[in-house]
Amino acid sequence: MIDCDVHNQWPSAEVLLPFVEPPFRDYLARGELPGPPGAFPHGHRPWLHPEGFKRSDVLAPEEGDTNDHYEALRTQLLDRYGLDYAVLTGEEAIEVSTLANGRYASALARAYNDWLVAEWLPRDDRLRGSLVVAPQDPEGAAVEIRRLGGHPGMVQVLVSTGSERPYGDPFYAPIWDAAAEVGLPVAAHLGGQGGINANPTGCGPPTFFWEAHALFIETGMGHVASVIAHGIFERYPGMRFVLIECGVAWLPALLWRLDADYKALRKETPWLKRLPSEYARDHIRLSTQPFEQPEEKGHLLAALEAMHGREVLLFASDYPHWDFDDPMTIDVPEEWRDAVFDENARTLYRLPGVTDLARAATA
Amino acid sequence: MIDCDVHNQWPSAEVLLPFVEPPFRDYLARGELPGPPGAFPHGHRPWLHPEGFKRSDVLAPEEGDTNDHYEALRTQLLDRYGLDYAVLTGEEAIEVSTLANGRYASALARAYNDWLVAEWLPRDDRLRGSLVVAPQDPEGAAVEIRRLGGHPGMVQVLVSTGSERPYGDPFYAPIWDAAAEVGLPVAAHLGGQGGINANPTGCGPPTFFWEAHALFIETGMGHVASVIAHGIFERYPGMRFVLIECGVAWLPALLWRLDADYKALRKETPWLKRLPSEYARDHIRLSTQPFEQPEEKGHLLAALEAMHGREVLLFASDYPHWDFDDPMTIDVPEEWRDAVFDENARTLYRLPGVTDLARAATA
């Protein structure tokens, strides 16, 4: 079993200090912070969660070694559920996308990546990393992807779904070029709703957190349409785009609209050779969390079938956040379980198969 | 059969001149226009349809009496399909929402409404009107709703889905108060993506028209969440909110998210007494066009069932626009047809029943 959205936390963003190069070390050590010392610099969402984001049973700073979030993750997730792999997605690192100063944002992303490589990946063979970049600095992001994209522990490039523009936009071409060159998929994780990024919904700012949270999928919908329309998958036939923490059930309705509108007006995008839904099936992957739970399971099942869920879905728990999905509660068809809980991620991220692992153990 | 989205066109916005009061008549007659003389003042979408919006078989200005769009509508729609009623939604009138000057926007809305009452409603007993208001001027909108909301030909208050804020926001309270007072539902029709209104998608501006058009539903999603979360239907138990031209299949996935997030964080909105999906079933109505057409009809049917489509859906053709839905092609379950094509609209808009019509004819 592979969990595709596990948040490796820090006790304080000050852990990044040794990894931030000058002059940006001064920004973090002495400069303005959006909170007390240890806060991570980002333009915070104006929609504030009234209960906080973390599960209450997750290691609190006062409980012993404040640096050891890994131990909590190991016992509460890796060992408890017998995971083969956990794909780490950072905690606030993707929020670098909200900063106006793209160079500082890239410096923070580099520091996070180096901290991940130094402090997390060596601790457990089951951990894999996501290479965080600052999308508002496409050239800087491309340099970072080429610098560290070949690291054997890194399995994807990671940005927030909150963005200035949809990710198919030519503005981001350097990121796609670099990701294709190093052979990594590009993933967007729900987040980055603030700062320089676009309002995350289509009719102005919602008011309440639960209202806003339900609507944050609109950020993901726009990226799906954009990467397809701009021909990312014609330009890079091996590319995959992964959406993390956006839920799944909205995808078919969007693809039906995209197919209908494309059929009527395909002359706008002559580089496309297939229907939007066909690109989605082969090139877009969605992590399952937060998995929808309607009263009538059949209604969800129809949506899962319509999106070819057996091929498209990747199990994710979102550990240790408030809306954590227990793998025991994800209700996909029995004959899909191996694909959704393991094989799709293993293929996407080129993780050794069970057979390979057994061979390595006896080598 | 009742068609809930029929566009009554004008040959030129100059038809409004006799109905625009000073000083705004000068704005329209001598002032700046976003096009040649006769253009309607609005902040136009930056997403330009590469083929134009109108069906090519609809009356062109060179074909005879340029004022008589009614005749085309009568032969091509009312008579052809044997409609009992057509709910007129204007052509560009809802685009007043895009103007920075709310007072001018309200003056144009008033002129449109008076033109509708003078030139359209008297021509055919089958026509009903929508009272267009400028939502960026809530007090002016409320005055207009009270001025003309009691007209027997007016069946709803109408705004664009493009907006500065979601419509549950307290900013719009005067509009809801007035609509409740005159006993009209409030409808939002797809449009208003430009000018002062919010970017219509959640991750920045899309590029192509077909891409953008597929995503414009994000404006409607935000309003559904907002009017529920802010308790519009607790404050006005008889109120209905109608979404026009947003399609339908995305609604269940949104409601599943809203229900889950509300259940977790309901303390944010203590005035709510029911689940978001329960409010939606009783108080939200969706017009059918553009009706989704997936390859597997069963997938759409599951979505229709999940949204209680028999109660929620209102047939609409969007005549005479490019993506017109022929009523013969709308594939809802046979036992739903009377409700979707007639009864739901008849109840919502308090239109005389067939029996009442027969009685009137023989009186």
Side-chain angles (χ1 to χ4, degrees):
Chain A
M1 182 159 63
I2 300 169
D3 186 338
C4 293
D5 185 20
V6 175
H7 293 281
N8 49 317
Q9 304 174 86
W10 48 51
S12 149
E14 289 168 335
V15 300
L16 298 183
L17 271 174
F19 302 96
V20 184
E21 69 260 51
F24 295 112
R25 193 176 297 160
D26 298 339
Y27 278 64
L28 186 56
R30 304 202 299 264
E32 181 187 358
L33 284 177
F40 185 67
H42 63 92
H44 198 277
R45 276 173 290 103
W47 300 280
L48 304 178
H49 192 305
E51 291 280 0
F53 263 95
K54 286 191 200 172
R55 273 172 36 178
S56 56
D57 63 335
V58 170
L59 193 68
E62 58 268 28
E63 299 170 39
D65 180 359
T66 58
N67 272 299
D68 215 353
H69 287 282
Y70 161 72
E71 276 302 315
L73 187 154
R74 184 180 65 74
T75 55
Q76 293 183 324
L77 187 76
L78 296 176
D79 292 352
R80 175 161 178 196
Y81 296 103
L83 293 184
D84 292 315
Y85 294 101
V87 177
L88 301 177
T89 49
E91 178 65 288
E92 294 172 280
I94 57 169
E95 303 288 330
V96 294
S97 71
T98 61
L99 292 177
N101 184 338
R103 287 170 186 261
Y104 184 25
S106 280
L108 289 168
R110 282 194 295 276
Y112 167 76
N113 294 329
D114 284 336
W115 174 72
L116 173 71
V117 166
E119 302 292 341
W120 279 88
L121 299 186
R123 294 197 73 173
D124 199 307
D125 287 343
R126 293 168 291 185
L127 301 179
R128 289 296 182 276
S130 304
L131 181 61
V132 171
V133 298
Q136 71 272 50
D137 176 21
E139 293 293 345
V143 170
E144 178 66 355
I145 292 167
R146 292 191 173 96
R147 180 180 78 92
L148 211 51
H151 187 286
M154 292 294 194
V155 296
Q156 64 190 351
V157 173
L158 183 65
V159 291
S160 65
T161 58
S163 66
E164 293 179 285
R165 305 178 71 85
Y167 288 131
D169 194 284
F171 176 72
Y172 300 110
I175 294 177
W176 292 105
D177 282 342
E181 189 181 308
V182 301
L184 291 182
V186 173
H189 184 293
L190 196 82
Q193 288 94 22
I196 60 170
N197 286 335
N199 196 307
T201 60
C203 59
T207 306
F208 309 105
F209 186 85
W210 70 257
E211 173 198 6
H213 185 265
L215 294 167
F216 284 162
I217 53 172
E218 297 193 6
T219 58
M221 296 169 70
H223 294 306
V224 166
S226 178
V227 297
I228 292 171
H230 279 277
I232 293 293
F233 306 121
E234 286 296 331
R235 212 172 325 142
Y236 314 103
M239 183 55 70
R240 300 290 182 277
F241 178 64
V242 187
L243 262 187
I244 304 176
E245 201 177 328
C246 291
V248 307
W250 49 269
L251 184 64
L254 176 65
L255 293 176
W256 297 338
R257 279 186 77 89
L258 287 169
D259 279 1
D261 285 325
Y262 169 73
K263 284 176 185 171
L265 298 169
R266 65 179 75 196
K267 71 182 195 180
E268 287 191 296
T269 51
W271 46 85
L272 297 184
K273 298 183 171 62
R274 309 168 67 195
L275 290 175
S277 61
E278 293 172 331
Y279 288 113
R281 181 175 183 174
D282 288 347
H283 295 276
I284 306 246
R285 296 292 175 263
L286 264 61
S287 76
T288 52
Q289 185 271 342
F291 204 59
E292 290 83 352
Q293 296 179 299
E295 268 188 39
E296 291 288 335
K297 289 181 183 179
H299 293 154
L300 177 60
L301 185 60
L304 299 181
E305 285 179 356
M307 76 176 73
H308 303 288
R310 184 178 184 153
E311 297 153 57
V312 165
L313 297 178
L314 310 169
F315 164 69
S317 75
D318 194 32
Y319 174 91
H321 286 169
W322 65 295
D323 50 352
F324 171 81
D325 273 352
D326 188 312
M328 302 302 120
T329 69
I330 302 293
D331 199 10
V332 297
E334 191 56 35
E335 64 275 21
W336 291 16
R337 292 191 70 84
D338 287 350
V340 172
F341 280 84
D342 190 299
E343 292 159 9
N344 292 347
R346 219 175 270 269
T347 303
L348 172 68
Y349 296 131
R350 297 182 191 167
L351 298 170
V354 175
T355 315
D356 299 318
L357 281 176
R359 196 180 302 130
T362 57
Chain B
M1 181 158 61
I2 300 170
D3 186 338
C4 294
D5 185 20
V6 176
H7 294 281
N8 50 315
Q9 304 174 86
W10 49 50
S12 147
E14 288 167 335
V15 299
L16 297 184
L17 270 174
F19 303 96
V20 183
E21 70 261 48
F24 295 112
R25 193 176 297 158
D26 298 339
Y27 277 65
L28 185 55
R30 304 201 300 264
E32 181 188 359
L33 285 176
F40 185 68
H42 64 91
H44 198 280
R45 279 174 288 103
W47 300 279
L48 304 177
H49 192 304
E51 291 280 0
F53 263 95
K54 286 189 200 172
R55 272 171 37 177
S56 56
D57 63 336
V58 170
L59 193 68
E62 58 268 28
E63 300 171 39
D65 180 359
T66 57
N67 272 299
D68 216 353
H69 286 281
Y70 161 71
E71 274 303 314
L73 188 153
R74 184 180 64 74
T75 55
Q76 293 183 326
L77 186 76
L78 296 176
D79 293 352
R80 174 161 180 195
Y81 296 105
L83 293 185
D84 292 314
Y85 294 101
V87 177
L88 301 177
T89 49
E91 178 65 289
E92 293 171 278
I94 57 168
E95 303 288 329
V96 294
S97 71
T98 60
L99 292 177
N101 185 337
R103 287 169 185 262
Y104 184 25
S106 279
L108 289 168
R110 283 194 295 276
Y112 166 77
N113 294 329
D114 284 337
W115 174 73
L116 173 72
V117 166
E119 303 291 343
W120 278 88
L121 298 185
R123 294 196 73 174
D124 199 307
D125 288 342
R126 294 169 290 185
L127 300 180
R128 289 296 182 275
S130 304
L131 181 61
V132 171
V133 298
Q136 70 274 50
D137 175 22
E139 293 294 345
V143 169
E144 178 66 356
I145 292 167
R146 292 191 174 95
R147 180 180 77 92
L148 211 51
H151 187 287
M154 291 294 194
V155 296
Q156 65 190 350
V157 173
L158 184 65
V159 291
S160 65
T161 58
S163 67
E164 294 178 285
R165 305 179 70 87
Y167 288 131
D169 194 284
F171 176 73
Y172 300 110
I175 294 177
W176 293 105
D177 282 342
E181 189 180 306
V182 301
L184 292 182
V186 173
H189 185 294
L190 196 82
Q193 289 92 22
I196 61 169
N197 287 335
N199 196 308
T201 61
C203 59
T207 306
F208 309 105
F209 186 84
W210 70 257
E211 173 198 5
H213 185 267
L215 294 167
F216 285 162
I217 53 171
E218 296 193 6
T219 60
M221 295 169 70
H223 294 307
V224 166
S226 179
V227 298
I228 292 171
H230 278 277
I232 293 293
F233 307 121
E234 285 297 330
R235 212 172 326 142
Y236 314 103
M239 183 55 69
R240 300 289 183 276
F241 178 65
V242 187
L243 262 187
I244 304 176
E245 201 177 328
C246 291
V248 306
W250 49 269
L251 184 63
L254 176 65
L255 293 176
W256 296 339
R257 279 185 76 90
L258 287 169
D259 279 0
D261 285 325
Y262 169 72
K263 284 176 185 170
L265 298 170
R266 66 179 74 199
K267 71 182 196 180
E268 286 191 296
T269 52
W271 46 84
L272 297 184
K273 297 184 171 61
R274 307 168 68 197
L275 291 176
S277 61
E278 293 172 330
Y279 288 113
R281 181 175 183 173
D282 288 347
H283 295 276
I284 307 250
R285 296 291 176 263
L286 264 60
S287 77
T288 51
Q289 185 272 340
F291 204 59
E292 289 84 352
Q293 296 179 300
E295 270 188 39
E296 291 288 337
K297 290 181 182 179
H299 293 153
L300 177 60
L301 184 61
L304 299 180
E305 285 180 355
M307 75 177 72
H308 303 286
R310 183 175 186 154
E311 298 153 57
V312 165
L313 297 178
L314 310 170
F315 165 69
S317 74
D318 194 33
Y319 173 91
H321 286 168
W322 66 294
D323 49 352
F324 171 81
D325 273 352
D326 188 312
M328 302 302 121
T329 69
I330 301 293
D331 199 12
V332 298
E334 191 55 36
E335 64 275 21
W336 290 16
R337 293 190 69 85
D338 287 350
V340 173
F341 280 84
D342 191 299
E343 292 159 10
N344 292 347
R346 218 175 271 272
T347 303
L348 172 68
Y349 296 130
R350 298 182 190 166
L351 298 169
V354 175
T355 315
D356 299 319
L357 279 177
R359 196 180 301 130
T362 58

